[in-house]
Amino acid sequence: MDAFYASVELRDRPELKGKPVIVGGGGSRSVVLSATYEARAFGVTSAMPMARARRLCPQGIVINPKHGRYTEVSATVMDVFRSVTPLVEPLSLDEAFLDVAGAARRMGGPRLIGEWIRATVEDEQGITCSVGVAPTKFLAKLASAHCKPDGLLVVPATDVVGFLHPLPVGALWGVGEKTEEVLLRLGLKTVGDLAATPVATLQRALGPAMGSHLSALAWGRDERVVTPHEPEKSIGNEETFPVDVDNPEVVRRELLRLSERTAARLRAAGQVGRTVSIKVRFADFTTITRSKTLRESTDVGRVVYETALGLYDALGLERARLRLVGVRVEQLVDADRAPRQLLLGEKDTGWREAEQAVDRAARRFGAGAVRPAALVDPDRSGDSS
DNA sequence: TCTGGGGTCCTTTTGCCC
DNA sequence: TCTGGGGCAAAAGGACCC
């Protein structure tokens, strides 16, 4: 999709069409999630701090993100994709790879399929998208970026090198600011330059994996196939405080909230995880992580919290000013095939069952219907909670 | 300019065992 | 008893993507 979040907002509020629209949080510490091309003309880009975007584009109309809406539109668009082929690999809410080799005969070739998708999505959802067609995922991704917005580009196998080699190295998927800097220091400006460089040189500069990866991509080689439904590897939540926090009690309460939320998502996904990690970002933006691997996988908020709390307390940050904390659970496996070790003399705390009951209450009465007492806002404790 | 929140993958370091 | 090194898993950090 082109400027996905902003396009959805424009679709819902047509009177904003043609105006510079910026989707992003209202808070002072938020960033731009999406911006219309009218706003981009002022230099606004995604991931830019909102404060800066406002300065660059004071007339821009700022809209708070409505994540639920984007998820809905995304689901219907993905359904359009799946009507073409079951081989759909969503990359994010607004992007997917389709392997159309099998559908080509039925639907008349990749270009026609691409045009059909573009027309159907615009028809049904009123938003535009761009389609890249190529022999590999990586090239298709570059092709779609190249023809944005509202375009279609076919890169036939015979034109791969001609398309690829003039591009700047930064255009490659996986080459960000740091890698680009290293490459430019080596005098490598285009993908063609990269292709002409010995693999060993790239590996010395970028590490073995990145070196051979980029070398292959520079020649259009990419073995990765379209795989619908990759299993998730971790689930977590993190939050930036509105202002820096130096009170450990506030941090601990936040860790509790994040742990409960993360564990609820694990249970909803039917997964358990064995490693709990926390993330702490200090006022100066330096960030550290600490993790602990448990003897047994869990989806219990209390267990996640106690582990997270132990990691946090071990840091001894009594006076530090923190900007963000996060909790994540890794090494996920399906709950029903996780080895459940029954230890001799283990006492059954019953937390798992208690939290499953909380999940049911939340489904009936809404999220937050039942929550730890520490998370009940004292100013509102007299109301329905 | 003052930097979100959800992730993945890779590299390096560290501790442990043999 | 001390030293070294290979192999491994866990831990930590960092780059990158949308």
Side-chain angles (χ1 to χ4, degrees):
Chain A
M1 305 307 119
D2 303 322
F4 181 53
Y5 294 1
S7 299
V8 173
E9 295 298 340
L10 243 52
R11 208 273 312 261
D12 291 351
R13 296 165 63 178
E15 72 277 10
L16 296 180
K17 223 167 178 183
K19 301 214 164 99
V21 169
I22 302 169
V23 179
S28 56
R29 296 181 136 177
S30 57
V31 298
V32 174
L33 296 174
S34 179
T36 59
Y37 285 81
E38 287 81 0
R40 294 182 196 200
F42 289 87
V44 175
T45 63
S46 63
M48 169 185 287
M50 281 296 286
R52 181 163 184 227
R54 283 213 173 86
R55 225 166 309 144
L56 286 170
C57 183
Q59 63 273 64
I61 297 151
V62 176
I63 301 181
N64 270 322
K66 292 181 268 303
H67 216 263
R69 288 291 297 129
Y70 314 143
T71 304
E72 285 171 23
V73 176
S74 173
T76 66
V77 170
M78 295 292 169
D79 282 343
V80 172
F81 297 165
R82 276 186 278 266
S83 74
V84 173
T85 169
L87 297 178
V88 175
E89 178 181 345
L91 204 62
S92 63
L93 279 186
D94 74 325
E95 212 171 4
F97 289 112
L98 280 69
D99 183 339
V100 297
R105 189 166 308 156
R106 176 167 55 90
M107 296 190 64
R111 179 185 294 274
L112 284 179
I113 293 174
E115 289 297 7
W116 180 85
I117 289 173
R118 282 168 30 73
T120 306
V121 169
E122 182 152 17
D123 244 40
E124 291 185 0
Q125 298 301 323
I127 61 179
T128 65
C129 60
S130 302
V131 173
V133 179
T136 66
K137 291 209 288 191
F138 157 76
L139 279 164
K141 168 92 174 150
L142 289 193
S144 78
H146 210 256
C147 66
K148 257 178 190 312
D150 200 13
L152 178 139
L153 178 62
V154 179
V155 179
T158 48
D159 294 356
V160 164
V161 166
F163 168 69
L164 212 45
H165 284 192
L167 295 175
V169 288
L172 294 185
W173 191 28
V175 175
E177 206 184 306
K178 306 285 178 178
T179 307
E180 180 172 21
E181 208 176 288
V182 172
L183 293 175
L184 291 185
R185 252 204 314 275
L186 289 175
L188 307 176
K189 295 206 277 243
T190 68
V191 179
D193 295 341
L194 212 50
T197 305
V199 191
T201 307
L202 297 177
Q203 288 181 316
R204 233 177 296 122
L206 302 167
M210 188 67 136
S212 51
H213 183 62
L214 285 191
S215 181
L217 293 188
W219 286 105
R221 292 196 306 267
D222 179 14
E223 304 295 310
R224 293 171 293 184
V225 297
V226 176
T227 41
H229 267 74
E230 280 290 279
E232 292 203 289
K233 301 213 163 69
S234 71
I235 289 180
N237 290 93
E238 61 189 55
E239 194 154 78
T240 297
F241 297 115
V243 295
D244 295 342
V245 167
D246 60 5
N247 179 351
E249 274 318 306
V250 175
V251 175
R252 291 193 183 100
R253 205 178 320 139
E254 187 63 18
L255 286 173
L256 175 57
R257 264 192 39 189
L258 295 169
S259 298
E260 299 277 350
R261 214 194 296 176
T262 297
R265 288 176 57 202
L266 281 171
R267 294 192 296 273
Q271 303 221 279
V272 292
R274 206 158 83 88
T275 302
V276 175
S277 77
I278 65 165
K279 173 151 124 183
V280 172
R281 173 122 76 211
F282 298 97
D284 70 356
F285 220 72
T286 58
T287 308
I288 60 173
T289 62
R290 292 293 181 269
S291 65
K292 183 171 172 60
T293 298
L294 309 172
R295 295 201 307 128
E296 198 180 329
S297 304
T298 189
D299 60 3
V300 180
R302 285 290 134 167
V303 175
V304 175
Y305 172 61
E306 275 156 24
T307 311
L309 188 59
L311 291 166
Y312 168 72
D313 284 339
L315 290 171
L317 302 176
E318 285 311 305
R319 294 256 58 87
R321 293 172 60 226
L322 304 188
R323 174 186 184 97
L324 165 149
V325 288
V327 174
R328 177 165 296 278
V329 176
E330 300 158 7
Q331 299 211 47
L332 304 187
V333 293
D334 288 339
D336 50 21
R337 48 169 231 92
R340 175 126 177 88
Q341 186 148 2
L342 291 172
L343 295 172
L344 203 59
E346 178 190 34
K347 61 173 191 255
D348 187 348
T349 61
W351 273 114
R352 187 154 196 254
E353 291 67 25
E355 292 184 6
Q356 286 167 346
V358 170
D359 292 342
R360 289 192 292 274
R363 280 198 292 273
R364 280 186 63 182
F365 304 113
V370 181
R371 56 195 195 278
L375 296 183
V376 177
D377 184 346
D379 299 335
R380 300 172 34 127
S381 55
D383 70 13
S384 60
S385 56

